[in-house]
Amino acid sequence: MSCIYPYEAEFEDGGLGGNLVVEGDIIVGAASYFNLSYLSPMGEDVQEYVRQAMVWIENNAGGRYVGDRTQNPGEWMVDLTGAPGDAEYRLCISLRNGREYESSWSRAAGDCLIDDIHFQVSDKSPRSVTIYTSLHSEQNNKHFRYRYTEDWEYTSIERAWGHYVTEGPGSLDGGSQLDTVEFFVDNDNTYYCWKHYESRGINLATTEIMGVNKLEDWPLLRYSCTDDRLCALYRLRLIVYAIPEECYRYLEHVRDMSEYDGNLFAPMPSEVRGNLRCTTDDDEIVYGYVGVAYPATAEFYMSSTDIGNIYQRPVHELEPAETPAEDEWSYYYYNKVWRPYSHDPFTGWSWLPARCVDCRFAGGTKNRPDNWPTDHQ
């Protein structure tokens, strides 16, 4: 049932670590992204990314596509726009230390078509929204991998009609004559904000058990009524592509290994083998599986009115607005973290806690996503 004596495993050279880890797939006809890092030794939480490398993709038709490093740590992008779809491809990597790697030659698994994305509201308490998708393959593919990005617009609890103009923290020393409150002009406000999220982990789907080549009304995401994705307007961009069975088995194994609960039948790390090898050292183990795929993409919008305005803000203990004197504004702004809220010509500016009137305090930004359908600023 348990160890009688305390046990601490001993690993040579810090335990499993130093091996190259490659994440990403070759996406024919689009930009392909690859993340290069090293396996972290046991007991270390800091991930070490590859800083310098040459990354390119080859096909058996003589094409060579050189990658560029992005701003993200350890990430390279290879543009395959216009690349032939009927060719075989492989990823090639050359590190500064002289080691070189390549994936096995592979051809795209085939097609994947997204038929529909829709939502359903649950009336069970607490209320929630589930997003479903339906997809199929005309070439009888049964294994799929998907990624998605989310953008959503939300608002602060109350709308502020003005903002505090100050020279900076130096005004804590009694304030400054330039410190004042001004009305927002045009579309300026702290009421509308946006958040962005990109899917993580290994997201897989299969129709193997069903014996068919399609998924119908497959639950993709679910959000409770307190999630601010449901506040105003939500956008989902879904990317799905078919993968060969051996790729699916590998990814499924890696996912199970990373999520296992420590039971007796948990997979062992040594069992994980992909389709990458080190061409300068046959004994080196390389982690990762680089597949070749055609992506299917779809975009889905959902507004608060579409779902019946079920969004419920988390309960906060709201404080009543206060109307401080002008010589107290600096104290309210910096020390109490309050913001001007509304203006009365007789009593002046009322203030509320910043979390009530500034949407950025909920973790979002004022950066409106590209091609966003509403014109809020």
Side-chain angles (χ1 to χ4, degrees):
M1 297 298 293
S2 64
C3 293
I4 299 176
Y5 301 105
Y7 174 76
E8 183 175 348
E10 296 182 0
F11 297 95
E12 297 182 2
D13 300 324
L16 299 171
N19 299 77
L20 182 67
V21 180
V22 181
E23 300 174 88
D25 292 299
I26 298 173
I27 307 300
V28 180
S32 302
Y33 293 87
F34 301 94
N35 188 278
L36 310 182
S37 61
Y38 294 103
L39 195 67
S40 300
M42 295 289 290
E44 293 188 11
D45 296 328
V46 179
Q47 186 172 7
E48 182 182 358
Y49 294 98
V50 173
R51 300 182 181 275
Q52 293 184 342
M54 287 187 61
V55 178
W56 70 95
I57 292 174
E58 299 175 348
N59 63 29
N60 60 355
R64 190 173 189 268
Y65 308 86
V66 180
D68 296 315
R69 187 175 177 181
T70 71
Q71 295 181 348
N72 298 324
E75 185 181 69
W76 274 259
M77 186 275 288
V78 184
D79 190 359
L80 292 179
T81 302
D86 57 350
E88 292 185 348
Y89 291 85
R90 70 178 178 185
L91 175 69
C92 302
I93 302 169
S94 178
L95 301 185
R96 190 177 183 182
N97 59 13
R99 290 181 175 267
E100 297 186 351
Y101 306 83
E102 64 182 29
S103 64
S104 59
W105 287 103
S106 302
R107 194 181 297 272
D111 71 331
C112 173
L113 303 174
I114 301 175
D115 300 317
D116 178 49
I117 302 177
H118 63 278
F119 70 88
Q120 183 174 346
V121 179
S122 172
D123 291 328
K124 294 182 180 179
S125 181
R127 302 184 70 183
S128 62
V129 172
T130 303
I131 300 175
Y132 297 87
T133 186
S134 297
L135 56 90
H136 76 281
S137 169
E138 295 183 351
Q139 298 176 347
N140 204 34
N141 293 298
K142 294 183 173 62
H143 306 288
F144 308 93
R145 186 176 187 181
Y146 66 92
R147 297 185 175 94
Y148 58 89
T149 60
E150 298 174 290
D151 294 285
W152 64 98
E153 178 181 349
Y154 69 98
T155 66
S156 59
I157 301 174
E158 300 287 345
R159 180 162 188 161
W161 297 101
H163 61 108
Y164 185 57
V165 181
T166 176
E167 283 190 310
S171 61
L172 281 169
D173 302 330
S176 166
Q177 292 182 352
L178 295 180
D179 293 350
T180 184
V181 175
E182 296 180 354
F183 284 97
F184 282 119
V185 178
D186 298 328
N187 287 326
D188 291 340
N189 64 81
T190 55
Y191 186 64
Y192 295 102
C193 277
W194 289 267
K195 290 183 181 180
H196 176 81
Y197 178 80
E198 297 185 5
S199 61
R200 299 181 177 91
I202 300 174
N203 302 303
L204 302 173
T206 182
T207 63
E208 186 175 25
I209 299 178
M210 309 171 196
V212 295
N213 60 348
K214 62 181 178 180
L215 286 173
E216 291 186 1
D217 298 332
W218 187 64
L220 182 66
L221 298 165
R222 179 183 178 275
Y223 296 114
S224 71
C225 58
T226 58
D227 195 301
D228 57 13
R229 288 173 173 83
L230 311 182
C231 177
L233 184 61
Y234 168 87
R235 178 175 70 189
L236 171 71
R237 286 176 170 169
L238 178 64
I239 301 174
V240 186
Y241 48 89
I243 57 177
E245 183 177 356
E246 59 270 21
C247 179
Y248 178 85
R249 299 299 177 205
Y250 170 83
L251 294 173
E252 184 182 40
H253 185 88
V254 173
R255 183 185 62 184
D256 293 343
M257 186 181 68
S258 62
E259 298 176 353
Y260 81 97
D261 57 2
N263 62 65
L264 183 63
F265 303 101
M268 300 296 293
S270 59
E271 298 174 3
V272 180
R273 293 292 185 273
N275 66 340
L276 289 145
R277 69 185 185 94
C278 178
T279 59
T280 54
D281 184 358
D282 290 336
D283 295 328
E284 180 180 348
I285 299 175
V286 188
Y287 294 95
Y289 195 109
V290 177
V292 182
Y294 294 116
T297 61
E299 192 170 84
F300 167 76
Y301 285 90
M302 180 175 65
S303 70
S304 57
T305 55
D306 293 336
I307 60 176
N309 297 307
I310 68 170
Y311 175 64
Q312 298 178 4
R313 295 185 186 277
V315 178
H316 291 291
E317 191 173 326
L318 297 179
E319 300 182 50
E322 296 182 9
T323 308
E326 291 188 21
D327 59 359
E328 296 180 310
W329 285 354
S330 179
Y331 171 80
Y332 269 72
Y333 187 86
Y334 291 106
N335 293 59
K336 292 192 68 174
V337 196
W338 282 41
R339 298 292 182 264
Y341 163 51
S342 64
H343 183 265
D344 184 280
F346 299 103
T347 60
W349 282 96
S350 298
W351 289 55
L352 280 174
R355 60 178 170 80
C356 300
V357 295
D358 192 335
C359 55
R360 294 170 294 186
F361 274 73
T365 70
K366 293 294 297 178
N367 300 323
R368 189 162 67 104
D370 295 336
N371 302 318
W372 195 253
T374 59
D375 58 359
H376 302 141
Q377 300 297 321

